[in-house]
Amino acid sequence: MTKYIFVTGGVVSGLGKGITAASLGRLLKARGLKVAAQKLDPYINVDPGTMSPYQHGEVFVTEDGAETDLDLGHYERFIDEDLNRFSNLTTGRVYSNVIAQERRGAYLGKTVQVIPHITDEIKRFIYAVGKQTGADVVITEIGGTTGDIESQPFLEAIRQVGREVGRGNSLYLHVTLVPYLKASGEHKSKPTQHSVKELQGMGISPDLIVLRSDEPITDRSIFEKIAGFCNVKPDCVIENRTLSTLYEAPLMLEQAGLASVVCRELGLTTPTPALEDWEKLVNRIKGLRRTVTIGLVGKYVQLHDAYLSVAEALRHAGYALDARVDIRWIDAETITQDNCHHVLADMDGILVPGGFGERGIEGMVLAANYARIRQIPYLGICLGMQVAVISFARYGAGLADAHSGEFAPHCTHKVIDFMPGQSDEINKGGTLRLGSYPCTIQEGSKLSGCYQAPLVWERHRHRYEFNNEYRQTLEQAGLVLSGRSPDGRLIEAVELPHAPFYVGVQYHPEFKSRPNRPHPLFCGFVAAALRQEDGTT
């Protein structure tokens, strides 16, 4: 029978429930268990697809095209399992589904209520991920903080699941903050006690309590006090302190006994965990001998979570190449013709990530052109590819007013324009080209050198594309269209053949990178940047 683990958070938001859940997933997988993970978010948006990156961080895209919370990226990177549309659920989607059923008459005239109809829909979703994946263990993280009004239906639903599957088949793990007061030089357990009391008031008694702290908790009486006041076993209070690298978290939690306690409480008999590869990864991270500087030119750089998967993919490539990637976060709006050299001259590589909207576009175009002229390795992702095309059309092909139909719908040369079937008239949410699609790769190209394969599948999230009317013009000017859809209709990648590395891709390779299996495109880019740093380009 599938086992269910529910991860809740208390005291404050942003504690790292996602990292705790992802680390536990890695530890259980290392014991030979098949693990699935999901995130339940209390906000009313149907999905994060239309939310500002400043509010939500990046939108992570699954293989089957679901726009999801960024924590799913942590799940995939740690557990190394592809997630799906059953891996993220919001209040908005729950109510949308229930209302649609009510309109169809599915409730046979009954009054539709939070209990049982909303909670039943949440439970259906929780059970579905286990059925879809055949997982031994399903880890479900509840977004928000215990005590929030909007999270109450989700807490009620997981309470009911625990009752339905029975004790021994479900487990509640509560992550709380244990603040350190410098004035008195001690950690305080009272916030945790109050948070657990709040959760118990919802009918849920946590089986495990994970204590988040920036400072090591050396006073063992804290653990004893929390165990006593919160009615959990003494070894079920576990520390999760802040570390220099997040990939060390599974090893720290393994040493603290988290997975062993979880398996004991769920009645799971498992072999000794196979963590040798993960230990080698962490040791490699700690022993990196070189440094390479990458300028990430974006419009949301004030919130690094807006480019979380890109940053992690860069670091993954660095791990494989024995190099620490120093990411310089450059606001595209600050780049002008006058200061471009001053801002970018010290970069070993320049990356322009995805995004939407006109703000900062001209700075990105200048950055792409600077990389082309100065022979600095360049990687453009989604919008970054479109920017590279605009830049090359203007400065390499003589189309001075070249632009994108997204930002300049009335310009003469729309080298980037709507995809077939897309327009300003359709709803914004969930209507992009989403999910995994194939790409054929031109033999002998930089792209081919990275992938070492003639066909790859990559995840997409875009509404605009390379305008086919300009294929011949830009190819004649020297742009190589190195990646195409199998039917040849869509341009998936462009590059410059005589540059050390100048590649733009319409898809999002960062979503498929793993810490111990970095994406080949990022490896190619970082390797070129290292050669730039060495002066061997």
Side-chain angles (χ1 to χ4, degrees):
M1 182 176 181
T2 300
K3 309 285 187 175
Y4 295 89
I5 298 172
F6 299 105
V7 181
T8 57
V11 185
V12 296
S13 61
L15 277 179
K17 295 194 305 296
I19 295 296
T20 301
S23 297
L24 177 57
R26 162 55 64 172
L27 296 177
L28 295 177
K29 184 177 180 180
R31 286 165 164 76
L33 297 168
K34 184 171 179 55
V35 179
Q38 62 181 180
K39 174 81 178 288
L40 309 184
D41 277 308
Y43 51 74
I44 299 176
N45 305 66
V46 172
D47 59 43
T50 58
M51 294 173 69
S52 166
Y54 285 125
Q55 289 212 344
H56 186 270
E58 76 172 4
V59 174
F60 189 82
V61 178
T62 60
E63 285 284 298
D64 60 355
E67 295 176 289
T68 73
D69 181 83
L70 59 79
D71 275 326
L72 270 70
H74 288 312
Y75 300 163
E76 286 207 0
R77 286 187 285 272
F78 277 69
I79 304 172
D80 199 11
E81 296 283 348
D82 289 338
L83 304 180
N84 55 44
R85 61 189 178 90
F86 291 106
S87 300
N88 197 201
L89 180 70
T90 70
T91 294
R93 185 169 295 281
V94 172
Y95 274 82
S96 178
N97 291 348
V98 169
I99 289 170
Q101 292 178 60
E102 187 272 335
R103 293 290 83 188
R104 291 195 300 268
Y107 299 116
L108 302 176
K110 294 179 181 177
T111 301
V112 179
Q113 298 175 295
V114 172
I115 302 172
H117 302 100
I118 296 300
T119 50
D120 281 354
E121 180 66 15
I122 297 170
K123 284 162 35 181
R124 183 189 68 80
F125 193 87
I126 292 170
Y127 289 132
V129 71
K131 293 176 182 176
Q132 288 287 325
T133 61
D136 299 308
V137 179
V138 174
I139 300 174
T140 302
E141 177 191 349
I142 312 301
T145 306
T146 298
D148 294 345
I149 292 173
E150 58 264 30
S151 65
Q152 290 180 2
F154 291 97
L155 295 176
E156 171 60 19
I158 67 172
R159 184 195 69 79
Q160 292 182 23
V161 170
R163 183 193 62 201
E164 291 168 4
V165 301
R167 190 166 182 81
N169 292 316
S170 64
L171 181 143
Y172 299 99
L173 188 158
H174 194 53
V175 182
T176 72
L177 175 69
V178 178
Y180 179 77
L181 300 186
K182 289 186 178 180
S184 58
E186 60 182 343
H187 288 90
K188 290 296 184 180
S189 66
K190 192 65 70 177
T192 293
Q193 295 175 43
H194 284 302
S195 179
V196 170
K197 183 179 179 181
E198 184 83 32
L199 191 60
Q200 289 171 337
M202 299 294 297
I204 297 172
S205 292
D207 302 288
L208 275 87
I209 299 173
V210 173
L211 310 180
R212 283 286 291 114
S213 175
D214 288 333
E215 303 288 338
I217 304 174
T218 56
D219 184 357
R220 297 307 301 177
S221 68
I222 294 285
F223 296 86
E224 296 166 4
K225 185 184 294 185
I226 289 173
F229 278 100
C230 299
N231 196 31
V232 299
K233 298 173 184 176
D235 64 351
C236 289
V237 181
I238 291 172
E239 179 186 8
N240 180 1
R241 66 181 178 276
T242 302
L243 301 166
S244 58
T245 170
L246 60 88
Y247 297 114
E248 194 176 356
L251 300 182
M252 178 191 65
L253 291 171
E254 173 65 18
Q255 188 175 11
L258 175 62
S260 297
V261 171
V262 166
C263 289
R264 182 193 72 200
E265 296 299 305
L266 290 175
L268 293 167
T269 302
T270 62
T272 302
L275 289 168
E276 294 82 5
D277 288 346
W278 202 264
E279 290 169 350
K280 289 178 182 177
L281 167 70
V282 171
N283 289 333
R284 190 160 64 246
I285 293 171
K286 291 182 175 181
L288 297 176
R289 293 175 292 180
R290 305 174 63 189
T291 299
V292 63
T293 304
I294 302 297
L296 191 153
V297 181
K299 59 175 66 178
Y300 314 117
V301 293
Q302 290 83 358
L303 180 67
H304 295 179
D305 275 358
Y307 303 114
L308 180 61
S309 291
V310 172
E312 290 305 311
L314 285 170
R315 294 182 183 115
H316 300 165
Y319 302 157
L321 297 166
D322 194 24
R324 183 180 71 86
V325 177
D326 178 16
I327 301 174
R328 301 289 176 85
W329 302 88
I330 301 170
D331 188 342
E333 284 191 284
T334 66
I335 299 178
T336 65
Q337 285 280 11
D338 294 334
N339 70 6
C340 194
H341 177 73
H342 175 74
V343 174
L344 300 173
D346 294 334
M347 301 302 118
D348 300 316
I350 295 172
L351 186 150
V352 177
F356 295 89
E358 186 177 4
R359 184 171 58 82
I361 293 300
E362 291 304 321
M364 296 179 194
V365 170
L366 290 172
N369 189 54
Y370 184 86
R372 180 180 69 89
I373 293 172
R374 299 281 177 158
Q375 295 282 287
I376 298 172
Y378 176 89
L379 177 59
I381 297 173
C382 195
L383 176 61
M385 170 191 145
Q386 297 174 6
V387 161
V389 172
I390 294 167
S391 177
F392 182 80
R394 287 183 188 178
Y395 303 112
L399 306 178
D401 73 335
H403 220 311
S404 166
E406 181 180 3
F407 315 123
H410 303 298
C411 71
T412 305
H413 298 293
K414 286 193 286 188
V415 292
I416 304 295
D417 207 357
F418 276 120
M419 298 183 64
Q422 297 283 348
S423 74
D424 280 329
E425 305 303 318
I426 63 177
N427 289 338
K428 297 294 185 288
T431 58
L432 303 167
R433 188 180 193 225
L434 292 165
S436 184
Y437 289 91
C439 170
T440 59
I441 298 175
Q442 181 173 312
E443 187 177 350
S445 63
K446 285 282 195 307
L447 206 64
S448 176
C450 292
Y451 281 108
Q452 296 292 304
L455 178 73
V456 296
W457 289 76
E458 294 283 3
R459 301 181 195 180
H460 293 65
R461 184 176 183 252
H462 64 105
R463 194 184 306 280
Y464 290 81
E465 65 166 358
F466 185 102
N467 187 343
N468 288 327
E469 293 179 10
Y470 289 89
R471 282 193 186 191
Q472 185 175 357
T473 300
L474 297 184
E475 281 187 302
Q476 287 177 348
L479 189 67
V480 174
L481 311 181
S482 56
R484 307 175 190 227
S485 59
D487 61 7
R489 292 176 59 244
L490 304 178
I491 299 302
E492 297 278 18
V494 300
E495 60 184 71
L496 294 177
H498 303 302
F501 191 97
Y502 195 100
V503 176
V505 293
Q506 186 58 74
Y507 46 81
H508 288 268
E510 69 271 22
F511 292 147
K512 299 186 77 167
S513 183
R514 304 289 185 264
N516 48 4
R517 197 174 68 254
H519 194 283
L521 196 54
F522 280 88
C523 283
F525 171 60
V526 173
L530 281 165
R531 292 192 294 271
Q532 181 82 11
E533 194 265 343
D534 289 339
T536 58
T537 298

